[in-house]
């Protein structure tokens, strides 16, 4: 049996499918990944841009980096892989999506597919949400944030402290509900389709491992050889847009009722 036949076979027979994505699924929409050449970290220190210490030291620089990313995402469109995931999740029962991405491309693809209330877990938060750095009160994100001085940064309407991006930074815990929901999904999934992630960031990288630990299968789509060698893992070497639409179109209907 070829790898793609094996992947299709697992998907056909699954009752519950978990789709787990990383920066690679958005690469073909023009959003750079972190670790690829020319990726977002190039020229910047991750510790300065994605940590509370960095934010407290220079909130203008951190907000400017997130503003640059937010504007870039706004100009991007969901690609064929996002669209295929959205259609699949809408048409087939028992499908959930967890993304490590902070862009909104899965959500926009879901709405375009006619799914107004998609279940997509944004594991690391979102570029389009903010909360208070001190009391965590959420706030409405302005269309544009003026990052030229501390005086123009958004502040909390309750306690007056700076607002911060609602993104889980290095050294911070995943939101409790997100972690609990993800745990539940990964312990129940028969198949985890892993798209475009280096699996280097924890605890996110435990998700496919947890599916394996519960007796499920993993299908990995990535152009680079990753280090996920396991008898229950099939690796499809190619980009998200090359593989995801075909793999999901052909297994749109489950053989087993969910
Ligand atoms: P990563 O940069 O560590 O890894 C990206 C992976 O995608 C690599 O394994 C690479 O081989 C693969 N890839 C590159 N092009 C691809 C393509 N066209 N199709 C399929 N795969 C492709 O990113 P990560 O694993 O997601 O983890 C790091 C963190 O990066 C996450 O926490 C995430 O929040 C953050 N991030 C998010 C975005 C975004 O929201 N779009 C962008 C960059 C980073």
């Amino acid at each position: 049996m070829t790898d793609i036949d094996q992947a299709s076979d697992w998907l056909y027979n699954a009752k519950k499918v978990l789709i787990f994505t990383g920066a690679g699924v958005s690469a073909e929409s023009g959003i750079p990944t972190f670790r690829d050449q020319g990726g977002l970290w190039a020229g910047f220190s991750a510790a300065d841009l994605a940590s509370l210490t960095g934010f407290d030291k220079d909130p203008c620089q951190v907000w400017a980096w997130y503003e640059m990313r937010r504007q870039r995402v706004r100009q991007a469109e969901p690609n064929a892989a996002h669209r295929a995931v959205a259609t699949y999740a809408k048409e087939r029962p028992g499908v959930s999506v967890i993304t490590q991405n902070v862009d909104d491309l899965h959500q926009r693809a879901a709405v375009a597919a006619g799914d107004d209330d998609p279940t997509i877990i944004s594991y690391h938060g979102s570029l389009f949400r903010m909360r208070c750095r001190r009391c965590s009160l959420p706030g409405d994100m302005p269309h544009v944030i003026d990052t030229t001085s501390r005086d123009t940064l958004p502040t909390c309407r309750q306690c007056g402290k700076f607002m911060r991006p609602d993104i889980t930074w290095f050294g911070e815990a995943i939101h409790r509900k997100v972690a609990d929901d993800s745990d539940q999904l990964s312990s129940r999934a028969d198949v985890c389709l892993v798209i475009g992630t280096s699996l280097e960031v924890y605890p996110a990288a435990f998700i496919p491992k947890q599916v394996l630990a519960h007796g499920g299968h993993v299908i990995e789509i990535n152009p680079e050889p990753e280090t996920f060698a396991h008898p229950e893992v099939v690796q499809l070497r190619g980009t998200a847009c090359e593989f995801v639409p075909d793999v999901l179109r052909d297994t749109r209907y489950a053989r087993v009722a969910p």
Side-chain angles (χ1 to χ4, degrees), residues 23 28 34-36 100 102-103 124 197-198 222-224 226 240:
E28 286 158 284
F34 278 165
R35 286 176 184 75
D36 294 337
Q100 296 169 85
V102 293
D103 64 42
H124 289 145
T197 168
S198 60
N222 198 308
E224 297 295 325
E226 299 293 313

Side-chain angles (χ1 to χ4, degrees), residues 167-245:
I167 287 177
T168 305
W169 283 333
F170 289 109
E172 295 183 325
I174 301 297
H175 284 304
R176 185 60 186 267
K177 180 162 175 15
V178 164
D180 289 350
D181 290 352
S182 302
D183 256 13
Q184 271 206 2
L185 292 172
S186 52
S187 59
R188 290 183 189 161
D190 305 299
V191 174
C192 183
L193 178 63
V194 177
I195 310 167
T197 168
S198 60
L199 294 174
E200 283 183 19
V201 176
Y202 283 86
F206 283 127
I207 289 172
K209 290 175 185 165
Q210 200 170 339
V211 174
L212 289 176
H214 284 84
H217 304 289
V218 170
I219 303 161
E220 186 195 33
I221 296 179
N222 198 308
E224 297 295 325
E226 299 293 313
T227 52
F228 206 5
H230 187 285
E232 302 305 327
V233 179
V234 154
Q235 300 179 317
L236 304 176
R237 292 279 152 260
T239 73
C241 289
E242 278 165 2
F243 272 109
V244 177

